[in-house]
Amino acid sequence: VLVEQARCRLCKVREFDPYETFKSLQGGLLSQKGWLSADDFCQWVVEQPHSIASASAPGVAMAVEPYANESGEVRYDGFLHMVLPKSPEHAWLKEDALLRGTAPRSSPRVAAPSLPPEVAFRLCEILDGERALCQRAGAAAQQLARELASAGPMSSGRVLRFLDAKQGLCAGMGGFLSPGSLRWLLVDELGA
């Protein structure tokens, strides 16, 4: 709920253009590669006047991992999934933000365009919320795994495979749960 509210606040900022924001996070024209890595986010975050600037690199990486592909790259579609509201009641905000991206583009710049301060702050709020959500999901997964381990191998194995289903054949192996899979199941699939 908090991350969804942060997404809505970002989309209400008139200067927020999703495509220009994505390009700005990649750096200048010479460093455009069409995707962002966890390192790119970490490098950007440490320069921001926000509490997330003091977050650990693994914490920031954990926040963007649900939106990355198998290679660890956050492509534009993953970026949109991360920053745009997901709730149908906020579809108008999502559409409004996407329409801003259809405005004519200025000529390409070699230097990295800086994000408007309000856009940068709201993006930091989203990343901080995602990081906190992943930490809570990870702690809950560890607690659940401990409780399931004491419940017996037959029932715990099935439950772990269900909760870790995003991992495919490796689901629940070794008695471990992926925080990303648990988040995917609870938030994206079940809407919790």
Side-chain angles (χ1 to χ4, degrees):
V1 174
L2 294 176
V3 177
E4 181 72 2
Q5 290 171 348
R7 289 184 184 108
C8 291
R9 287 191 295 270
L10 174 62
C11 287
K12 287 178 183 176
V13 176
R14 299 306 307 164
E15 295 86 16
F16 173 59
D17 176 333
Y19 185 70
E20 291 297 322
T21 301
F22 181 72
K23 283 183 13 181
S24 177
L25 291 171
Q26 291 179 62
L29 183 64
L30 300 176
S31 61
Q32 298 289 308
K33 55 190 181 253
W35 52 272
L36 294 161
S37 67
D39 287 340
D40 294 329
F41 280 100
C42 291
Q43 289 173 3
W44 179 79
V45 160
V46 298
E47 299 170 356
Q48 303 308 307
H50 190 279
S51 61
I52 195 168
S54 63
S56 67
V60 175
M62 185 174 25
V64 299
E65 185 266 331
Y67 305 102
N69 62 18
E70 299 79 31
S71 302
E73 302 166 344
V74 178
R75 300 249 175 214
Y76 185 59
D77 60 334
F79 179 74
L80 290 177
H81 191 66
M82 179 172 65
V83 299
L84 297 177
K86 297 178 183 180
S87 171
E89 66 191 51
H90 301 125
W92 66 275
L93 275 172
K94 179 178 180 176
E95 187 173 325
D96 188 45
L98 289 171
L99 287 174
R100 283 183 222 136
T102 62
R105 308 250 183 260
S106 60
S107 61
R109 294 174 281 197
V110 175
S114 62
L115 291 177
E118 182 74 7
V119 171
F121 179 77
R122 298 300 177 193
L123 184 56
C124 284
E125 283 186 324
I126 292 171
L127 290 170
D128 200 26
E130 287 285 351
R131 182 183 58 82
L133 179 65
C134 288
Q135 285 176 334
R136 287 192 305 270
Q142 289 175 352
Q143 176 65 29
L144 183 58
R146 282 192 297 274
E147 289 179 18
L148 288 173
S150 65
M154 188 58 155
S155 61
S156 64
R158 279 193 228 149
V159 172
L160 283 171
R161 279 190 295 280
F162 169 75
L163 293 175
D164 209 22
K166 186 179 180 187
Q167 298 301 320
L169 293 175
C170 298
M173 289 185 79
F176 296 107
L177 278 175
S178 159
S181 290
L182 188 59
R183 182 194 181 287
W184 168 79
L185 176 68
L186 294 175
V187 176
D188 296 340
E189 291 298 308
L190 301 177

